[in-house]
Amino acid sequence: MTNTLHRYGPRQEGDYIVFAIPARGINDAGCAGKLQAFLRLASRFNPVNMGNGKQGSLFRPERSLNPFTWFTKRRRHTVPPDRVIEEIQGPCTAAATFDSGDAVCAVLRAAREADLGMSVNVSGPIEGTYRAAREAGITPHSIEYSLEFRGRTDLLPEAPILELITMCGHSMVSRHLARKVASLVKEGRLTSEEGATYLAKPCVCGAFNPSKARLILEEMRHRW
Amino acid sequence: MWINPRLCVGCANCVPFCPVGAIAVEPGGVAVIDRDACVECANCYRSMSRENLPPWLVRALRKAAQLLRLRPDPDLDICPTGAITPEPLEWPRVVRSLFSDPTSEHKVTGVAGRGTEEAKTNDVTGRTKEGQAGFTVELGRPGVGVTFGDIERMTVALARLGISFEPKNPVTSLMEDPRVGRIRRDILQERILSAIVEFTVPLEQVPEVLRTVEEVSTQLDTVVSIGVYTKNAPDGSNPLLGILHQLGYRPRRAKVNMGLGRPLAEVR
């Protein structure tokens, strides 16, 4: 699973995913509490999204929506962070997404002090990630580089849409939905913040960065 | 995945949710999924909110709005009648779901998603050591899709280099003969959203592997995302980045394992 690695575009700074994961068959016994503790400590530093990779992220669809909600504009597009945390009942990837390198540094420092024993990874711009590790007093163990895309790149969508959809590495944020949302934002039917919320819902891992999506949609509103 | 024609009101809200564009509203006013194109990712079912309204009511309201020349402006992520229905999948179609639905857990890996733990737990597993490079070659991503036939062209070319595929990887588990990279014949036509080919090689072999991946990528009808990882030296440095620079790669983004897992592989 390399779902956070290959994020296209120039806006790499301000786009970090910090996640904890157990190693199968080695330290996964009784890991649920440790993964919950990790997300709990990450939630103190204002993540823009969180997820457990199984039940979903902070942004979720509603299974039984009252049709009158549409008239009152009181839809609940998010669930409380506690719900995402408590849903962790076994091995999974507990992820929190941040739009600031300083927050990542604070999370790493807290994770080091908590010594939970889970593998902690940061997916982000190389320089910013190493800076955060250094300031947290951590020497990184391993590193995976993204060498980006090859092959039939002519099949990929236009740059800003690609930037939006690669924030979900499992490709659950479809290019068609991204184009529709971008159009609605441009027409003034949605705000860029609402648009980012709709785009965040299909990503079950919580790796989608709605803060970055809002910036992209706002830019597209003027230039697309 | 299936859209119940008795429930569907043809609102087309589900159409853009499909990553591979397999849903279309037919002239009869009902959305239909193209089964050949559908990769069974279940995104249309999982990501849309549902109102579970009776279809006759929604159809009547839509008809009335049409007659009055009104254009309703509904929320874009709602299926008003809950018409999208998952269906039981049989072999070989079930592999589409295993490699496309991120909530599907592979029996081999025990991990939800399309690959394994690769570098993410390298501090604990020690899978890739100093002086080695682990590769994650993902085909079909982002949002293009790939057939196992195209995946096999890549695995066969890599196998010729003498590499050993990661045994816990889901693609490896579908190989008839991992030594030659040959994939089971009965799934070659199956289309999935993406799959990751994983293996570890000595650092010296990195240029040869990258050359091969780049070359085969030009012959495939899909996109290939390349990831390569290594274990750092105790001071945090590694020779892999120098090799990549020499080859003309300028990586900007990375996934960094902070080494906080316990017990550390070296201690175990």
Side-chain angles (χ1 to χ4, degrees), chain B residues 129-248:
Chain B
K129 299 168 178 58
E130 264 186 87
Q132 294 182 323
F135 275 87
T136 54
V137 179
E138 186 164 4
L139 298 96
R141 170 190 180 171
V144 172
V146 63
T147 61
F148 277 96
D150 264 351
I151 296 168
E152 187 185 64
R153 291 168 81 176
M154 181 64 80
T155 52
V156 166
L158 288 167
R160 284 198 198 107
L161 303 179
I163 61 130
S164 301
F165 297 104
E166 165 57 42
K168 286 181 181 169
N169 174 280
V171 174
T172 312
S173 74
L174 292 171
M175 288 182 187
E176 277 179 355
D177 186 352
R179 286 169 307 172
V180 293
R182 209 173 125 97
I183 290 175
R184 300 174 55 134
R185 303 291 93 187
D186 55 348
I187 61 166
L188 288 183
Q189 302 305 316
E190 293 300 324
R191 191 163 186 84
I192 57 171
L193 212 40
S194 74
I196 306 173
V197 178
E198 290 178 80
F199 50 92
T200 299
V201 296
L203 280 175
E204 306 81 64
Q205 211 179 349
V206 168
E208 184 188 26
V209 169
L210 284 173
R211 243 190 335 268
T212 303
V213 172
E214 296 252 8
E215 199 180 302
V216 178
S217 298
T218 62
Q219 299 157 19
L220 305 178
D221 192 22
T222 190
V223 189
V224 179
S225 314
I226 312 169
V228 57
Y229 63 94
T230 192
K231 180 186 181 301
N232 289 330
D235 66 354
S237 65
N238 72 70
L240 177 60
L241 188 60
I243 296 170
L244 295 176
H245 280 166
Q246 271 178 5
L247 296 169

